[in-house]
Amino acid sequence: AIVHLQIERNKYPDIDKDKFYKFIQICLSMKRKTLKNNLSHGYGFSSNMLEEKLGKEILEKRAENFDIDQLLKIFKKLF
């Protein structure tokens, strides 16, 4: 699938656009996997670190269940 994202610069001035796009790519890389699996695989994050920063409830969902603002909040918690 092709995903096209356009980020409003004025709405999100404090994010690194390239780093955020990579984050989105990793989150959506394996469609049937949970956010926890994609982030662990894509960044090498440990399960414990992810659970401390995000909580189990968020990690058990798939990335496609989040809207762009929710993904941005997750991104900010991790980076």
Side-chain angles (χ1 to χ4, degrees):
I2 296 173
V3 177
H4 178 77
L5 292 175
Q6 284 186 307
I7 308 259
E8 294 177 44
R9 291 175 193 209
N10 296 335
K11 189 172 181 183
Y12 308 107
D14 59 335
I15 66 162
D16 179 333
K17 188 170 108 175
D18 293 331
K19 195 172 182 179
F20 184 60
Y21 283 150
K22 181 179 177 174
F23 171 77
I24 295 295
Q25 185 179 20
I26 287 171
C27 287
L28 297 170
S29 64
M30 294 181 276
K31 185 178 179 184
R32 304 297 297 163
K33 300 288 183 179
T34 63
L35 191 62
K36 178 180 179 178
N37 288 336
N38 284 343
L39 292 173
S40 293
H41 179 74
Y43 288 108
F45 293 150
S46 72
S47 295
N48 289 337
M49 186 279 277
L50 288 170
E51 287 181 17
E52 285 177 22
K53 291 195 175 223
L54 302 175
K56 284 185 179 182
E57 185 178 334
I58 288 173
L59 293 171
E60 291 173 354
K61 295 181 181 178
R62 294 187 177 126
E64 63 262 21
N65 293 327
F66 297 101
D67 65 29
I68 193 75
D69 290 323
Q70 292 169 318
L71 287 170
L72 182 63
K73 286 178 186 175
I74 293 168
F75 175 78
K76 286 182 174 184
K77 286 181 180 182
L78 292 174
F79 302 101

